[in-house]
Amino acid sequence: MKSPAHFVAYKNKDFKETPAMRFGTAVHAAILEPEEFAKEYDRTDLRKNTKAYKELDQSKIWLNNSDWVAVQSIKRRFKQNLHATDLIAHCNMREKEVKGEIFDVPFRGFVDAMSNDTIIDIKTTQDGSPQGFSRSVFNFSYHLQAAIYRELTGINDYFIIAIENTSPYNVTVYKLSQEYLDRGYAVLTQGVMEFNRWDGEETGYEQNVELD
């Protein structure tokens, strides 16, 4: 959405998991698939570049002690939020792949949890307050993601469970307003139209633009 050059750079770069992404994946596993989390994850205070760490069972995913404690705290806080637990319990599909065409452009994604009438997206965040998380929705284009997933599935009810990644690990359920969803669809439509008009050149931003 920023420029063709950004798109080309994204497609060509090597994927590297950041600590934040690793933590977010662990939170998803702990909430959505607790039995798999118990099998696949464990904790250690060993440093990754040490011989002792490399001798650990590499079939497991090893979290440092602080991340492990944080995930356990999040699990406890999540269970205290009855709205969040009810929504997840209602969904019979986890990490569901969805794909299709939108305006003749192929799309593909993975929905965290869904049923026949509900989509759930789990997001870890620094600030889960209504004021703080509303900024995250726009900064990280969560409303665009909602528009894409609703379009691919035909499901209208879209909830985001925002989980703070630091103490007190508040868990908050948000339902995007119609205005958010409308803006998401507007961004989606604009993006697809620009993609369809793209000539394939690795161009940057528009030139001679007056800032307003």
Side-chain angles (χ1 to χ4, degrees), residues 178-195:
Q178 190 59 49
E179 182 181 4
Y180 263 128
L181 296 173
D182 289 344
R183 291 190 181 194
Y185 275 106
V187 174
L188 172 61
T189 303
Q190 177 187 356
V192 171
M193 289 176 61
E194 292 179 358
F195 182 80

Side-chain angles (χ1 to χ4, degrees), residues 83-188:
H83 190 190
T85 56
D86 285 348
L87 282 173
I88 292 297
H90 176 69
C91 294
N92 58 345
M93 293 173 277
R94 312 289 169 88
E95 300 292 342
K96 173 68 174 177
E97 181 181 14
V98 292
K99 56 185 178 180
E101 290 192 351
I102 303 176
F103 304 121
D104 298 323
V105 173
F107 280 79
R108 175 173 176 260
F110 291 87
V111 177
D112 289 337
M114 63 183 290
S115 66
N116 292 330
D117 57 9
T118 304
I119 295 174
I120 307 294
D121 195 18
I122 296 175
K123 300 295 187 186
T124 52
T125 181
Q126 291 182 339
D127 186 353
S129 68
Q131 297 82 3
F133 195 69
S134 65
R135 290 191 291 270
S136 294
V137 170
F138 277 110
N139 290 340
F140 299 107
S141 298
Y142 295 157
H143 58 321
L144 171 59
Q145 184 179 12
I148 293 171
Y149 284 175
R150 291 173 85 236
E151 190 72 16
L152 292 178
T153 63
I155 296 173
N156 291 322
D157 286 344
Y158 190 98
F159 295 88
I160 296 178
I161 300 177
I163 303 174
E164 291 183 336
N165 52 22
T166 56
S167 182
Y169 307 106
N170 284 332
V171 176
T172 311
V173 177
Y174 291 108
K175 186 173 184 179
L176 296 186
S177 70
Q178 190 59 49
E179 182 181 4
Y180 263 128
L181 296 173
D182 289 344
R183 291 190 181 194
Y185 275 106
V187 174
L188 172 61

